[in-house]
Amino acid sequence: MNGRYSRQELFSPIGIDGQAKIRTKSVLIVGAGALGAGSAEALTRAGVKRIVLVDRDYVDWTNLQRQQLYSEEDAKRQLPKVVAAKNRLNQINSEVEIQAHVMDMGIEEAEELISGINLIMDATDNFETRLLINDLAQKYEIPWIYGACVGSYGISYTILPGEGPCLNCLLDKIPANGQTCDTAGIISPAVQMVTAYQTAEALKILVEDYASIRKKIVTFDTWTNQHVQLGMGKAKKVDCPSCGANPTYPYLEKSNALKTAVLCGRDTVQIRPAHTIEINLTEMEKRLLPHGEVRCNPYLLELQSGSHRLVLFKDGRALVHGTKNMAEAKSLYHRYIG
């Protein structure tokens, strides 16, 4: 027992048989920020078969304080997070297949990405996407692990379809104060704590030790030394549209898909085309040169025009920085992109 996973195999709840199971499992991680980067690294080192990584953003200097997979060079190059993550994860464990998707995961993308997935890890920054994940998990009976953090506070909960309440059942019971990392800041220990809770639960699921899964929501504050576990068994709703007796999976309906959204706590609007398109970034760069300062790499294009900065991805999605006004953002998108 001197292989790369030997110390994990020596841990009796996993053992050789559990490690063999881990090597057959695929995990979808939605979000490649602080939580996503931490979970992706931990599961890559643990030796899962495949990680499907989805994120809509690129590496920024503000990410480097806590998002452990990324470097200054990634921020200088403005690499999409999943591209930078894949580069690093491949160096950590070449045995693990890393699939990187630069996209804002909507309903259609989610239905395609779910094929062959054994577990979904939440590393998002908004409840619209989490509720989509929740309905997806309930429909296809795939376990998923909710996680969030801000400031020195963190929260995690494991959801097993068919057992206990789902996220939709718990919406009025999840502790939240409306703050974001951009308004309240965040310290890396809070990230690492949530990542530890999420990945420990992930390993239990991957080795199929369901009896050991924590059935409670855990919340903590690393600065004020608070730690609370809340039992949620009685919160399950028989008439829940996501997990009840007659589920309709409302968040998988296209009418609920957001095409324009103000990003969490940021002076930024995301514009997402109703239908996926393919942008020739080289041609677009030439077209936009008269309108301001333009930078381009193989994954995205950046236009600085006055007080606004527009970042365009190959699938037609754009981040309009410098405004929270959706109408203004749409106007800028149509003016420059069409």
Side-chain angles (χ1 to χ4, degrees):
M1 191 181 291
N2 57 359
R4 72 184 301 159
Y5 308 115
S6 62
R7 300 304 183 268
Q8 196 158 274
E9 292 170 346
L10 284 168
F11 179 62
S12 58
I14 293 179
I16 295 175
D17 291 341
Q19 186 62 43
K21 290 178 180 178
I22 290 172
R23 293 293 298 130
T24 68
K25 301 296 175 65
S26 296
V27 181
L28 170 62
I29 301 178
V30 185
L35 293 181
S39 294
E41 178 172 339
L43 294 177
T44 296
R45 292 186 184 278
V48 298
K49 176 184 178 182
R50 178 172 64 115
I51 290 177
V52 180
L53 198 54
V54 183
D55 191 275
R56 65 189 180 185
D57 210 349
Y58 56 91
V59 180
D60 182 80
W61 286 94
T62 62
N63 302 148
L64 301 183
Q65 163 256 353
R66 67 196 179 282
Q67 298 184 15
Q68 64 194 56
L69 288 178
Y70 309 126
S71 67
E72 291 186 355
E73 185 62 25
D74 296 328
K76 289 176 184 177
R77 297 173 61 194
Q78 291 184 303
L79 282 182
K81 288 183 179 179
V82 294
V83 174
K86 179 177 181 177
N87 291 342
R88 178 62 181 137
L89 294 172
N90 284 338
Q91 293 176 334
I92 291 171
N93 191 343
S94 60
E95 295 179 354
V96 178
E97 179 186 354
I98 308 295
Q99 297 179 355
H101 298 273
V102 185
M103 66 167 65
D104 181 29
M105 189 183 78
I107 296 166
E108 293 180 358
E109 295 89 350
E111 297 270 6
E112 293 176 1
L113 292 171
I114 206 65
S115 177
I117 293 296
N118 303 106
L119 170 67
I120 306 172
M121 302 286 284
D122 164 38
T124 66
D125 61 1
N126 68 87
F127 272 92
E128 288 81 10
T129 305
R130 289 184 179 119
L131 287 166
L132 189 160
I133 292 171
N134 183 69
D135 274 9
L136 192 72
Q138 297 299 322
K139 180 178 179 179
Y140 292 100
E141 300 183 342
I142 300 171
W144 76 282
I145 305 172
Y146 162 63
C149 51
V150 64
S152 55
Y153 169 85
I155 182 171
S156 179
Y157 183 56
T158 302
I159 298 174
L160 301 177
E163 296 183 27
C166 75
L167 184 65
N168 205 355
C169 294
L170 299 177
L171 278 183
D172 58 344
K173 294 182 173 62
I174 291 177
N177 55 19
Q179 292 181 318
T180 71
C181 297
D182 296 271
T183 59
I186 187 168
I187 58 174
S188 60
V191 174
Q192 293 159 2
M193 284 281 286
V194 175
T195 299
Y197 277 114
Q198 285 190 293
T199 53
E201 292 290 282
L203 289 174
K204 297 173 190 177
I205 291 171
L206 296 176
V207 302
E208 302 170 17
D209 183 6
Y210 296 104
S212 296
I213 290 174
R214 177 174 30 82
K215 302 299 193 298
K216 298 179 179 181
I217 283 182
V218 62
T219 70
F220 62 84
D221 191 310
T222 60
W223 204 264
T224 61
N225 307 310
Q226 296 177 330
H227 188 281
V228 178
Q229 292 196 61
L230 303 172
M232 291 289 128
K234 296 181 180 180
K236 185 171 177 63
K237 298 177 180 177
V238 177
D239 60 348
C240 174
S242 297
C243 73
N246 299 292
T248 58
Y249 312 116
Y251 295 97
L252 295 182
E253 295 176 6
K254 291 185 179 181
S255 59
N256 285 326
L258 294 178
K259 300 302 180 184
T260 306
V262 179
L263 294 194
C264 178
R266 295 164 63 179
D267 198 25
T268 300
V269 175
Q270 175 178 257
I271 307 291
R272 186 167 181 250
H275 304 285
T276 301
I277 58 178
E278 186 169 346
I279 300 290
N280 185 317
L281 295 179
T282 302
E283 293 298 320
M284 185 64 69
E285 180 183 19
K286 295 176 182 177
R287 199 175 97 188
L288 293 179
L289 280 173
H291 300 287
E293 182 180 348
V294 182
R295 297 173 60 192
C296 188
N297 66 33
Y299 309 101
L300 56 85
L301 176 149
E302 178 188 58
L303 168 68
Q304 182 73 49
S305 180
S307 60
H308 296 103
R309 183 165 57 93
L310 188 149
V311 177
L312 177 68
F313 294 83
K314 293 170 70 174
D315 61 0
R317 182 172 55 86
L319 300 177
V320 183
H321 299 282
T323 183
K324 292 181 180 178
N325 186 302
M326 292 187 184
E328 181 181 31
K330 285 182 178 179
S331 175
L332 289 166
Y333 184 93
H334 290 309
R335 181 188 310 170
Y336 296 123
I337 309 305

